[in-house]
Amino acid sequence: GSLSTIEKSPPKPRREQTVLTIDTMNPTVKKVEYAVRGPIVQRAMELEKELSEGMKKPFAEVIKANIGDAHAMGQQPITFFRQVLALCSYPELLNDSTFPEDAKSRARRILQSCGGNSMGSYSASQGIDSVRHDVARYIKRRDDGVPCDPDNIYLTTGASDGIVTMLKLLVCGEGATRTGIMISIPQYPLYSAALAELGAVQINYYLNEQKCWSLDISELQRSLDEARQHCNPRALCIINPGNPTGQVQSRQCIEDVIRFAAKERLFLMADEVYQDNVYAEGCQFHSFKKVLFEMGPEYSNTVELVSFHSTSKCYMGECGFRGGYMEIINLDSEVKAQLTKLVSVRLCPPVPGQALMDLVVNPPQPGEPSHEKFIKERTTTLCALAEKAKLTEQVLNTVQGISCNPVQGAMYSFPCITIPEKAIKEATDNGQKPDMFYCMKLLEETGICLVPGSGFGQRDGTYHFRMTILPPKDKLKILLTKVKEFHQKFTQQYS
Amino acid sequence: GSLSTIEKSPPKPRREQTVLTIDTMNPTVKKVEYAVRGPIVQRAMELEKELSEGMKKPFAEVIKANIGDAHAMGQQPITFFRQVLALCSYPELLNDSTFPEDAKSRARRILQSCGGNSMGSYSASQGIDSVRHDVARYIKRRDDGVPCDPDNIYLTTGASDGIVTMLKLLVCGEGATRTGIMISIPQYPLYSAALAELGAVQINYYLNEQKCWSLDISELQRSLDEARQHCNPRALCIINPGNPTGQVQSRQCIEDVIRFAAKERLFLMADEVYQDNVYAEGCQFHSFKKVLFEMGPEYSNTVELVSFHSTSKCYMGECGFRGGYMEIINLDSEVKAQLTKLVSVRLCPPVPGQALMDLVVNPPQPGEPSHEKFIKERTTTLCALAEKAKLTEQVLNTVQGISCNPVQGAMYSFPCITIPEKAIKEATDNGQKPDMFYCMKLLEETGICLVPGSGFGQRDGTYHFRMTILPPKDKLKILLTKVKEFHQKFTQQYS
């Protein structure tokens, strides 16, 4: 949409003169799909615009529970992080006595690592040296002393950037030797989108919904064996804690996966961006790196692993800064040189995002002036998320026709929904997937924006939606009630 | 390099067990080259490290004139921009009376456009709505009233991101129908790197060094006709003001290029990131958009054009924030929908970079408290650059065997250097390109880091280097003197 004072584009050129058309564009780009920002979100944005223009709707506001965008849902940033970012942006503030000393010393340290002491300089393409060292120290601490080499750390533009870069390195071959990449179903659609764009073969393995979305090695084996008939499977992607499932993998499961990867010679990609988002009792985050090293040199010296982290999730939720890192383990040194070259073409990840990543891995320490406040803010956010995870599961499970696994971690519920046959038929007749039909109706009637399960993948004949647990508790309650009422009405209407 | 307290990686896995090796990785990635951050820069970083560890060298510091990284060379950021960024990062500062009111109102406006009033939220994938409107107003003002539709603006992660995205859309076909993209020689190596990665055909057209690196239509025609024998040329890339040439195109030249693109049905890509960097008398920046619209509807309704801009160059030099935008003209509406989908996979450009882009296109206005200071800072920076452009040309042209075109704009000189036959032979015997041999020797002997012309492309048998004009004047003088002395010594040594 454009303001009325600004001119619209001139009429579009006639088709036969046009160089770039839908028929002559890159065919792999056409295959890309990304449901989290797909048609349902575009419609939600239209509805918001119509509401703001005074149009009447059966709801007063659009509630976006489609994407893990914590601050947009009212979560507050960590004060210390933002103080340091302000100091780095405008170093005059280092003379301001209202800023705590630890924020100032952190800002000075970051600025000293920047060319000309400015966040406006390019950094090394792999990331600022001191930040990579801080990341390495964080990982070592997190993993109970397992060594971490800062040379193995690459800062990234959010985790997505790192994931796409690593997939890019892995893709080669044609036809039956084309690279295949194993991803969970349901998955986070960045993976399917990147594989489509790279022309790699997507190999699906199904998570076990009956066992709380856990991963079965027998299913990995089935999936791999079938894929070997038609492509060259080279990597196995894991999201833990799970997106969209909210499942947290057990230590045993991770060990089994590593053993499987070693046996089958698969490159492991561990998406661990929700590592601080673990809520359920008895669940704990185990990094793939730590488990790998605890399995001894037979594994830790051979299995190739990359792990991704980001500033966007956990208790900080700073998506807009596009900060992240990846750690590579056992990457061949010649390939590592190629990786370093490849990332240099994009010059460097955004420096404010790098600074933020540094603060995440090196937050205020006990005894520092900002420590107490930091701990309080972090705890408040994580406790609220835990409470909302529980609430979401509980309320959804009171609805006949909705069945929701415990939200053990991450930021999403992915309940199974029963869609009546009549609704399935109406959707199919309209060329729409039944869960898209369901979510679109929910949006039009209640203003609630969820993502259909088909955007993440699901077993044929089952239907789901992904819903974030991020809205503030009061709003989440309203949202859950509305979903409940909608589902009952929808079921009745189509029975 | 890593600190001694941090463990090094475990021994590398044996090759036969390794999934990802140089022989089994993506072959297109291997073909990528990016000289601006290539081996010479890696060596410069090693030398810096050795100096910092107290190792003796024939120089006291490494001077990096290899990359357009203004702040790293001591250029100061614009105060107003940094004040607004600090306010957006830490909105508590909106209560601080020391910040000017216009900075506060700008910050409030940006924050109001962010989800939850936080830069930590994702923005729309195309960019923040209000920023795109500000960009559209800026373009209309810049182009003397030529209309600009905010729907045609896409914010990007630096200009590089936009360039790669547009190239990606254009690539298709195989063998003799594979997409070819015309790029200038010399070029900015992002283009060759992106084309290598995408597997597109690079079509070289040579700029005319004898005519101050200007573009000849006859050379475009020659290049295109030859390319049509073996590929499908679809787009023509222009960098104006030129990188690495520093040339500023005349209005007539731009009109001729547009006519050529229309006649030959080529998609135009105009890299205009140096639009404020014009120094030479009689030279002026003309945007491709403006010239296109002045040529009347026969052209303005049909020629497909995309123009790129960034926060990294001009008077602001804020490379680290990775801000940028592109404007698309006459892009087919179905392709535009595909573009919007494609950028959504990466969620959004960094929000601080978007905020900065907003400030660049909407700086303090006359009558606002920060206006005077802003104008003063901008003028100071641009005048200093103009002076250094002149100085560089003058000093280099005093050296026998170096011939330097006027640096009309941008931030680089790209002089032609005479390398003695004996040096060429020694380099070739060592498997090194002669200009790489020259630049490597310069680095080892003087600490000055330049980029060999071969990284940008040059006519066979000619040699160049690219040198930024960014070091502070005093340092630039020393640098130029050292280059002069080195060249004389080198010439003598190999004669």
Side-chain angles (χ1 to χ4, degrees), chain B residues 400 418-420 422-423 438 484-495:
Chain B
Q400 178 141 28
T418 306
I419 300 187
K422 252 168 86 178
Y438 177 97
K484 181 174 183 163
E485 289 167 0
F486 169 81
H487 189 84
Q488 288 164 342
K489 206 183 115 200
F490 181 90
T491 304
Q492 205 162 19
Q493 192 185 341
Y494 287 99
S495 288

Side-chain angles (χ1 to χ4, degrees), chain B residues 103-140:
Chain B
K104 288 185 186 177
S105 73
R106 220 59 66 96
R108 275 191 210 100
R109 185 160 172 273
I110 291 169
L111 289 173
Q112 277 160 14
S113 310
C114 294
N117 298 318
S118 168
M119 284 209 298
S121 298
Y122 291 121
S123 76
S125 300
Q126 194 172 347
I128 298 171
D129 210 55
S130 68
V131 178
R132 290 191 293 108
H133 279 83
D134 285 348
V135 169
R137 274 186 278 261
Y138 160 81
I139 292 173
K140 187 176 172 185

Side-chain angles (χ1 to χ4, degrees), chain A residues 19 24 168 197 234 304, chain B residues 19 24 71 168 197 234 304:
Chain A
V19 177
T24 64
K168 197 179 277 175
E197 199 188 312
R234 302 188 71 199
E304 294 151 83
Chain B
V19 177
T24 64
H71 292 198
K168 196 178 278 175
E197 199 188 312
R234 302 188 70 198
E304 295 150 83

